[in-house]
Amino acid sequence: MQQRLRDTWARVFLMGLLLVVIALPSQTFAQPGCRNGVLSLGDGSEGIRDLNGCLAYLEDPDQNLSFEEVRNLPLGKFNRHYEGVLNFGYTESAYWTRLDIGTRDLKKPADWMLELALPLVDDVRLYVVRDGHLVEERGAGYYDNWRDRDLAVPNPTFRLTMQPDAPTTIFLRVTNKNTFRLPITLWPRDEYIAKVAVDEVVRGILLGAILAILAYNLFVAVSVREPSNIYYLLYLVSAVVFTATEQVHGIQLFDERPLLLSKEYLHFHIIFTWFFGLLFARALLETRQRSPDLDKVLMVCMHAVVATFVMALFMPYSVSMEWIVVASILLSSILIVVSYLSWRHYNPAARAHFFAWTAALIGFGIYGFTVIGYLPLNTFTSYTPQFGITAQVILFSFALADRIKQVQGDALAWNKKALANLRRYQSLFDNVIEGVFQMSPERRFVTVNPAMAELLGYPNRHELLQTNPDVLDTCIADDVLRRLVVDQLERTGTVK
């Protein structure tokens, strides 16, 4: 019954998640025409997530190009981008982007917001050229003061005032030692504020769900004190710290960024998350006790994580992150296979663990296909990693519930077995023809069988226990023999 109830709640959650996805505004708006590489804006233009065909980029490998040098380069020196999100992986280069905007259809000045959806970006410099003159130069980045930003939001955002019939060129210079993606979008001011509100609601729901599960499992871990619950709690803590650091969510509430949530330690957050995740998998799946071969696989993975931690202390940050990203995909696949084998062969509780890692991998997979351009960039695809992680931790809770149910079932089976053995012993004790008894250190009867009571001349054992005579005086009439028995009991504790 409990299993059916949990399955029902799982289906309700997944259906609810699907409804939320459907209800979220897709925000894949009709894009104004990009004529000959120039983006045309008008009074009725809507938010633009897809700047493909309008956006051009230039690599600066030595980071020594000045704005004037880039500005004077012919457009042919730039590479036109046509599909997906600009993605350069991990690189030491700086990148310049160029966006030409035509405002012939504007009737009056309009405020627009240019967003780079990359909260961990090191530095972004904005240059606005209008009618051939540099009219604005601003900057934002991970290390800048949030109070100096146009909006105190995680993603670097710039307010642009578009003038009617005034051709405008926007240059961005971006440097970043994390994964180098450039998901650049352009929004009317009011529409961007509405979009940020939706983003904050989604972030709040997902992070709030993880924190609620963390609080619940803290109570469970304190109450149950099972290793699997403790490892899961540590996994949740590491995942929350990683998510808060990677999303830069809530950091603006602090006067200074907490050292624990600094992006310099992001690769260590991932390593600790994997370490505790593997410990949790090993405890939940009971590989050490029930499947030595699978346990060896998990132990190899754990040793690899420890080795990665040691190497990360000496390797450059970008190299560590590249290796960790590749290793994460590999570890996720291994855990899916190990969970499936455990589920199919010996551990029913591994089923939820299998689906949990599958959900996480699907979430990151959808986001990966979005980044390379196979899927549209919208509210859902932007947050599929967070959706996957949230689904994962919820399914982990189901796995732990199955584990607790399994432990309770095993304990109940052992109790039944012990009770059956006790009944067999009691039957033997009551029906044996020899006198059998148990004596206290004070030489009084504790238990006796009916045959013993009959040998001592009592009608039943209850009267013998009620009379409560001295055992040795009653059973051994010879004083010398009684003293020998007492001496031997005092010396060795047994009599033969």
Side-chain angles (χ1 to χ4, degrees):
M1 179 64 184
Q2 293 179 353
Q3 180 65 44
R4 288 198 298 270
L5 183 61
R6 279 195 295 273
D7 290 344
T8 301
W9 278 110
R11 294 189 186 98
V12 169
F13 167 75
L14 294 175
M15 288 299 296
L17 182 60
L18 179 61
L19 291 175
V20 168
V21 171
I22 295 173
L24 285 172
S26 64
Q27 297 179 339
T28 53
F29 303 116
Q31 179 181 340
C34 188
R35 307 183 187 97
N36 298 321
V38 178
L39 178 65
S40 299
L41 298 181
D43 291 330
S45 298
E46 296 180 312
I48 308 164
R49 281 185 179 269
D50 186 0
L51 292 171
N52 295 332
C54 300
L55 195 65
Y57 66 91
L58 173 71
E59 183 179 9
D60 180 8
D62 300 321
Q63 300 190 18
N64 57 8
L65 291 177
S66 67
F67 166 68
E68 288 299 328
E69 291 175 324
V70 173
R71 172 186 177 182
N72 293 324
L73 287 175
L75 188 57
K77 293 290 184 180
F78 287 80
N79 299 297
R80 185 72 59 182
H81 181 67
Y82 288 101
E83 61 180 14
V85 176
L86 275 171
N87 189 356
F88 307 110
Y90 291 89
T91 176
E92 299 294 330
S93 300
Y95 276 87
W96 292 82
T97 65
R98 172 173 175 163
L99 179 63
D100 294 305
I101 300 176
T103 58
R104 182 175 300 175
D105 296 330
L106 279 179
K107 305 301 182 185
K108 58 182 179 179
D111 286 336
W112 283 72
M113 308 300 295
L114 181 72
E115 179 190 59
L116 173 59
L118 194 64
L120 296 180
V121 66
D122 289 343
D123 183 68
V124 185
R125 295 295 151 186
L126 171 79
Y127 303 89
V128 180
V129 177
R130 185 172 294 129
D131 294 327
H133 301 286
L134 177 64
V135 296
E136 286 187 77
E137 178 181 346
R138 280 176 285 161
Y142 184 80
Y143 299 102
D144 290 341
N145 193 326
W146 285 56
R147 297 183 182 89
D148 297 334
R149 293 189 178 187
D150 291 341
L151 287 177
V153 294
N155 295 327
T157 305
F158 301 97
R159 180 183 289 110
L160 305 172
T161 301
M162 298 298 179
Q163 301 295 334
D165 200 16
T168 302
T169 301
I170 298 174
F171 291 92
L172 291 178
R173 181 185 186 273
V174 186
T175 57
N176 192 27
K177 65 181 180 181
N178 276 75
T179 177
F180 211 126
R181 293 177 291 106
L182 296 180
I184 300 171
T185 55
L186 193 62
W187 305 83
R189 183 190 60 188
D190 294 341
E191 201 168 315
Y192 181 74
I193 292 173
K195 176 255 185 188
V196 169
V198 172
D199 288 347
E200 291 302 307
V201 168
V202 173
R203 285 196 185 106
I205 291 174
L206 297 178
L207 191 57
I210 296 176
L211 289 174
I213 294 170
L214 174 62
Y216 168 74
N217 282 280
L218 176 61
F219 170 77
V220 173
V222 172
S223 302
V224 178
R225 298 183 183 179
E226 277 282 319
S228 56
N229 293 86
I230 296 173
Y231 294 144
Y232 178 48
L233 184 66
L234 293 172
Y235 173 81
L236 278 177
V237 172
S238 302
V240 167
V241 172
F242 163 73
T243 302
T245 304
E246 197 268 339
Q247 290 290 312
V248 198
H249 190 63
I251 306 300
Q252 62 269 40
L253 301 177
F254 299 96
D255 293 332
E256 294 183 1
R257 181 179 288 106
L259 187 62
L260 179 65
L261 301 180
S262 177
K263 78 171 187 176
E264 281 78 9
Y265 303 104
L266 186 63
H267 51 323
F268 293 115
H269 297 163
I270 301 173
I271 290 172
F272 279 109
T273 302
W274 271 116
F275 182 73
F276 292 124
L278 288 167
L279 284 175
F280 169 62
R282 191 164 178 250
L284 179 71
L285 303 179
E286 299 179 308
T287 56
R288 182 179 180 183
Q289 299 85 358
R290 305 178 68 175
S291 180
D293 292 336
L294 293 180
D295 191 62
K296 289 177 183 177
V297 174
L298 294 182
M299 288 301 297
V300 169
C301 293
M302 289 180 61
H303 284 100
V305 170
V306 173
T308 300
F309 173 78
V310 175
M311 291 188 296
L313 296 173
F314 306 99
M315 290 192 303
Y317 177 86
S318 59
V319 176
S320 298
M321 285 299 295
E322 282 187 274
W323 163 243
I324 289 171
V325 169
V326 173
S328 296
I329 297 173
L330 180 61
L331 287 174
S332 298
S333 303
I334 291 173
L335 281 175
I336 288 174
V337 173
V338 170
S339 301
Y340 180 79
L341 293 175
S342 300
W343 168 29
R344 300 306 298 175
H345 290 286
Y346 68 88
N347 191 346
R351 178 181 61 172
H353 192 267
F354 165 76
F355 285 115
W357 281 108
T358 302
L361 192 59
I362 289 174
F364 282 99
I366 291 175
Y367 186 71
F369 281 115
T370 302
V371 168
I372 62 180
Y374 288 108
L375 293 173
L377 182 66
N378 53 45
T379 303
F380 172 64
T381 55
S382 298
Y383 287 100
T384 47
Q386 288 74 31
F387 281 126
I389 291 176
T390 304
Q392 182 195 53
V393 297
I394 291 175
L395 288 169
F396 276 163
S397 296
F398 287 136
L400 282 174
D402 287 338
R403 164 70 176 156
I404 293 173
K405 179 185 176 183
Q406 181 180 335
V407 170
Q408 290 175 339
D410 292 342
L412 182 60
W414 279 107
N415 287 338
K416 289 180 178 179
K417 185 176 180 180
L419 183 59
N421 291 335
L422 180 61
R423 287 172 178 168
R424 285 195 294 270
Y425 167 77
Q426 188 67 42
S427 176
L428 178 64
F429 181 78
D430 290 340
N431 296 304
V432 70
I433 60 174
E434 290 86 1
V436 182
F437 65 91
Q438 182 181 11
M439 181 182 72
S440 70
E442 292 78 22
R443 294 164 52 174
R444 302 296 172 181
F445 288 105
V446 176
T447 58
V448 297
N449 68 340
M452 186 66 187
E454 185 178 350
L455 287 173
L456 295 179
Y458 290 87
N460 56 62
R461 57 184 170 184
H462 301 293
E463 288 196 15
L464 173 57
L465 293 175
Q466 190 173 11
T467 304
N468 197 23
D470 185 286
V471 174
L472 297 182
D473 289 343
T474 303
C475 296
I476 305 174
D478 190 315
D479 293 339
V480 176
L481 180 58
R482 187 186 310 121
R483 281 195 297 272
L484 289 174
V485 171
V486 171
D487 291 341
Q488 188 172 349
L489 283 173
E490 291 176 347
R491 288 196 312 271
T492 65
T494 60
V495 175
K496 294 184 178 179

